[in-house]
Amino acid sequence: GAVVSQHPSWVICKSGTSVKIECRSLDFQATTMFWYRQFPKQSLMLMATSNEGSKATYEQGVEKDKFLINHASLTLSTLTVTSAHPEDSSFYICSANLGQGPYSNQPQHFGDGTRLSIL
Amino acid sequence: LAKTTQPISMDSYEGQEVNITCSHNNIATNDYITWYQQFPSQGPRFIIQGYKTKVTNEVASLFIPADRKSSTLSLPRVSLSDTAVYYCLVRPSGGYQKVTFGTGTKLQVIP
């Protein structure tokens, strides 16, 4: 079945560092991927929609210059947290699905998430 | 995007059937109802999806009444490993369509 892979699964870095998270669709092409953030004991919050070959669409309140999204191929979207600070520490999750033509009713498949800890 | 409402938490003993109901009063004609399970520090895992009536797979059943304003996820004979957060989502047809997560239901299975 459809699989979405995230890398790394866990990263710890110093304040001010930029961190890149990769999201790959392993056995299908995804023109659209989504990025979420989840704080402890809270639900997932949609951050942005990643569109292959075009600019990402950000949700209200999400700083596009802080969270850079690149979707350069049909199987890879990256989220870069620029100049990360402790308040950016969170669980970041991506999702994708086939979503095209006869597969438009397929559900979203989620990666296993990336735990980001900024010291 | 249709808003969903679920109980915040539920407890159940091992071996019992668990039913989690989700309200989605403003569901649109093209919307599908999807349920996910999430364990701590993992991404949500797809459980089941339906449009109307009843859907059953190897792990769960989904009951959707005719008006589609609610849905019930049924987990038969739960075990301790079913302790997780369960999310009900309503989403339009089309993979490019974004979805919004509600609060989810924290299911605690008790020995």
Side-chain angles (χ1 to χ4, degrees):
Chain A
V3 177
V4 175
S5 174
Q6 270 186 253
H7 178 81
S9 57
W10 193 22
V11 58
I12 302 174
C13 58
K14 294 181 179 180
S15 184
T17 305
S18 291
V19 179
K20 179 185 285 187
I21 302 170
E22 294 185 346
C23 179
R24 294 181 184 274
S25 55
L26 296 186
D27 53 0
F28 64 99
Q29 294 181 332
T31 55
T32 303
M33 293 184 177
F34 301 92
W35 287 96
Y36 297 83
R37 180 168 55 180
Q38 186 175 33
F39 292 108
K41 299 188 184 300
Q42 295 186 22
S43 183
L44 283 76
M45 183 189 76
L46 179 65
M47 299 176 66
T49 302
S50 174
N51 303 300
E52 188 270 334
S54 64
K55 291 183 178 180
T57 304
Y58 291 83
E59 295 299 302
Q60 188 174 9
V62 178
E63 301 175 57
K64 62 180 181 181
D65 295 329
K66 175 74 172 178
F67 300 99
L68 300 179
I69 292 173
N70 184 283
H71 195 152
S73 78
L74 287 172
T75 59
L76 174 64
S77 174
T78 61
L79 169 68
T80 300
V81 184
T82 61
S83 186
H85 293 286
E87 58 267 27
D88 298 322
S89 298
S90 188
F91 192 52
Y92 292 86
I93 308 168
C94 70
S95 74
N97 80 343
L98 291 168
Q100 308 296 319
Y103 306 109
S104 61
N105 297 331
Q106 291 294 312
Q108 291 287 327
H109 292 276
F110 290 81
D112 273 338
T114 297
R115 175 73 59 192
L116 175 60
S117 296
I118 308 299
L119 305 177
Chain B
L1 296 175
K3 181 181 177 180
T4 59
T5 303
Q6 306 173 231
I8 296 296
S9 64
M10 294 180 68
D11 291 338
S12 175
Y13 288 102
E14 271 192 296
Q16 289 189 330
E17 177 184 76
V18 171
N19 295 309
I20 306 175
T21 298
C22 177
S23 297
H24 27 79
N25 291 319
N26 58 341
I27 188 169
T29 303
N30 294 333
D31 288 346
Y32 281 76
I33 301 160
T34 312
W35 285 80
Y36 289 87
Q37 174 192 56
Q38 187 182 30
F39 297 112
S41 297
Q42 293 186 24
R45 184 175 71 96
F46 170 77
I47 301 174
I48 198 166
Q49 175 174 283
Y51 182 79
K52 61 180 179 180
T53 62
K54 176 183 175 182
V55 181
T56 298
N57 62 21
E58 62 275 11
V59 298
S61 294
L62 178 59
F63 298 92
I64 305 170
D67 66 6
R68 304 200 326 122
K69 293 184 183 298
S70 67
S71 60
T72 299
L73 174 71
S74 180
L75 304 172
R77 298 182 60 79
V78 294
S79 63
L80 295 177
S81 62
D82 292 318
T83 293
V85 178
Y86 292 82
Y87 292 98
C88 162
L89 275 68
V90 172
R91 66 163 191 89
S93 173
Y96 54 90
Q97 299 285 355
K98 62 184 181 182
V99 298
T100 300
F101 279 76
T103 59
T105 299
K106 175 69 166 68
L107 173 65
Q108 180 69 51
V109 180
I110 306 166

